[in-house]
Amino acid sequence: MILATWNINSIRARLERLLAWLASAQPDVVCLQEIKTTEAKFPTAELATAGYRCAVLGQPTYNGVAILARGEIANVAAGLGEHLRDDQARLLGADVLGVRVLNVYFPNGQEVGSKAFEYKLQWMLALRQYLDARLRPEQPVLLCGDFNVAIDDLDVAHPMQWAASVLCCPPVRGALENIRAWGFTDIFRQHNPEGHIYSWWDYRQLGFPRNDGLRLDHLLASAPLASRCRWARVDREQRKGEKPSDHAPVMCEFADL
DNA sequence: ATGGTTGCTTAGCAA
């Protein structure tokens, strides 16, 4: 099974690119973030024609996540439930090919010390509580999406410039370690231990041409799933050309699924 | 320190 996670930064602005990429990359499962639209305006028909079923958690203008799959999508669950009650569309869980897939779009946090930053830390703590309450690390679980966190300095082209930012600062990295400690392996890092492979480049300041990027989009797998991972890579081609998202897809393959 | 770019929605916010 080939799975991808991609912050597409508006699915309606990127639909033609998405359809062309699905046809060439041939993923079985795709987790999208920042679809920036509602269920009603989601291009369900176009994706069905391309061979994908969709589970969508939408919101006007901001956020929004969706899971696309060639097979059945079952037991769809939206949000963090009792662990964090709000109206931001940031988490969608579903069973796909025997895997519990959790598609996440973490809050960015804007500035350290801001209300948005406090919300980010609260959201991350609630995610750990959600995992504790609903799932077991002995199950095949994949937590993937845009985490808005660079796990360590191997995920950052210029670590000094970002050390104090909402993407890298110690409280945020600590909150991510708390989530990882539930029972996840960073399967991308496992297969790319040298680091310095990025998934996001700012639109400004020639971020991509300079490869001034960060790895913010992650694939975290529980042990029984991590052991099946054959490879993981970033599809940098999708950051090139006309009107790219500021993120590239991160992909992996699992054996025997 | 600020601004640089993009998308949604149409001025300002979020990233």
Side-chain angles (χ1 to χ4, degrees):
Chain A
M1 181 242 277
I2 294 179
L3 179 144
T5 179
W6 191 8
N7 180 322
I8 199 167
N9 186 18
S10 169
I11 193 167
R12 288 183 291 162
R14 221 80 57 203
L15 182 58
E16 291 310 310
R17 181 184 277 266
L18 174 62
L19 293 171
W21 174 77
L22 290 172
S24 68
Q26 293 285 316
D28 298 293
V29 183
V30 183
C31 292
L32 298 173
Q33 303 86 38
E34 281 205 274
I35 61 170
K36 292 189 172 180
T37 192
T38 59
E39 283 94 323
K41 293 181 180 172
F42 192 85
T44 306
E46 291 90 336
L47 289 163
T49 300
Y52 291 88
R53 306 182 207 194
C54 307
V56 181
L57 177 64
Q59 179 183 331
T61 310
Y62 301 117
N63 310 318
V65 288
I67 299 173
L68 318 183
R70 284 168 151 162
E72 191 179 346
I73 304 176
N75 299 318
V76 175
L80 286 163
E82 69 273 24
H83 304 289
L84 198 150
R85 298 258 175 229
D86 67 9
D87 54 3
Q88 298 200 22
R90 297 184 177 276
L91 187 153
L92 192 60
D95 292 328
V96 186
L97 292 170
V99 177
R100 187 63 186 171
V101 175
L102 300 177
N103 177 14
V104 289
Y105 176 49
F106 282 37
N108 170 283
Q110 294 183 349
E111 297 291 334
V112 172
S114 67
K115 268 243 187 281
F117 182 72
E118 290 309 311
Y119 173 71
K120 179 178 193 171
L121 294 177
Q122 184 185 18
W123 196 94
M124 293 176 75
L125 186 60
L127 177 58
R128 171 63 200 253
Q129 293 167 346
Y130 174 100
L131 293 164
D132 287 334
R134 301 198 185 199
L135 296 163
R136 294 285 172 271
E138 295 78 23
Q139 299 172 257
V141 180
L142 183 72
L143 178 68
C144 69
D146 178 359
F147 287 57
N148 271 311
V149 180
I151 294 174
D152 62 31
D153 285 350
L154 289 180
D155 288 339
V156 189
H158 298 108
M160 299 286 279
Q161 291 178 13
W162 291 93
S165 75
V166 294
L167 305 177
C168 298
C169 67
V172 163
R173 285 183 167 166
L176 184 60
E177 172 54 21
N178 183 47
I179 291 165
R180 194 213 55 75
W182 175 82
F184 287 120
T185 297
D186 175 355
I187 56 175
F188 182 88
R189 176 62 61 78
Q190 186 172 49
H191 288 268
N192 302 274
E194 72 282 11
H196 297 294
I197 300 171
Y198 313 118
S199 66
W200 173 83
W201 301 260
D202 202 308
Y203 284 127
R204 300 163 288 189
Q205 308 281 87
L206 299 172
F208 187 68
R210 292 174 161 157
N211 198 26
D212 183 3
L214 290 85
R215 184 172 72 111
L216 304 178
D217 301 274
H218 300 297
L219 300 164
L220 302 186
S222 63
L225 188 60
S227 63
R228 289 169 176 262
C229 181
R230 285 195 174 124
W231 52 261
R233 59 182 289 265
V234 172
D235 188 353
R236 295 182 90 255
E237 293 305 306
Q238 287 307 314
R239 187 60 177 78
K240 301 177 182 175
E242 290 293 308
K243 294 186 84 69
S245 169
D246 46 353
H247 295 252
V250 185
M251 309 181 65
C252 64
E253 181 174 6
F254 297 108
D256 306 319
L257 288 177

